[in-house]
Amino acid sequence: GYIVTNNHVIAEGGPIVVAFADGSTYEAEIVGADSQADVALLKIEATGLAALSLGDSDALEVGQFVVAIGSPFGLDNTMTTGIVSALSRSLPADSTSNSFGSTYTIPSVIQTDAAINPGNSGGPLINLAGEVV
């Protein structure tokens, strides 16, 4: 199974363990990571996993409701709701390299007002159709 998360969640090094609501845990391998985009792709050896669909983030509109899933403050299975506050926010250019060896800037990011508490990082932002955006 492949898992998308935030780079800063896995950046500390050491073993990365993915825990599921049923209590099962898996050690994860880093497939790729990009510190500037703050995105990481992990892989675990597991079968029978359910997957969330990826939505079209280009179809998002300012004011659209979204849900952020996470585990803030060590609590399991939490969500916060909010709206898309802005689209196409540009992050400043620099020459940070990603793990694929290329350098670039992030031209467009989604801004939301959904509460992201300590520990929420790494969870998905979901539209009301249940798709990760």
Side-chain angles (χ1 to χ4, degrees), residues 22 27 37-39 47 52 65-66 69 71 93 104 106 108 120 123 129:
D22 68 1
E27 190 161 331
D38 196 23
V39 174
T47 58
L52 290 172
F65 286 97
V66 289
I69 306 292
S71 298
Y104 62 93
I106 302 172
S108 179
N120 255 121

Side-chain angles (χ1 to χ4, degrees), residues 14 22 40 48 100 105 114:
D22 68 1
F100 303 107
T105 60

Side-chain angles (χ1 to χ4, degrees), residues 37-130:
D38 196 23
V39 174
L41 181 64
L42 308 177
K43 183 177 182 188
I44 60 173
E45 294 298 326
T47 58
L49 300 174
L52 290 172
S53 297
L54 295 178
D56 181 0
S57 58
D58 289 336
L60 285 174
E61 296 181 11
V62 172
Q64 183 173 337
F65 286 97
V66 289
V67 175
I69 306 292
S71 298
F73 308 114
L75 303 169
D76 291 335
N77 306 313
T78 69
M79 73 172 75
T80 58
T81 61
I83 62 168
V84 174
S85 302
L87 297 167
S88 301
R89 293 282 197 213
S90 294
L91 298 180
D94 72 33
S95 58
T96 302
S97 293
N98 62 29
S99 65
F100 303 107
S102 61
T103 59
Y104 62 93
T105 60
I106 302 172
S108 179
V109 295
I110 301 164
Q111 179 182 348
T112 180
D113 74 339
I116 307 295
N117 297 303
N120 255 121
S121 295
L125 185 66
I126 299 174
N127 63 23
L128 294 186

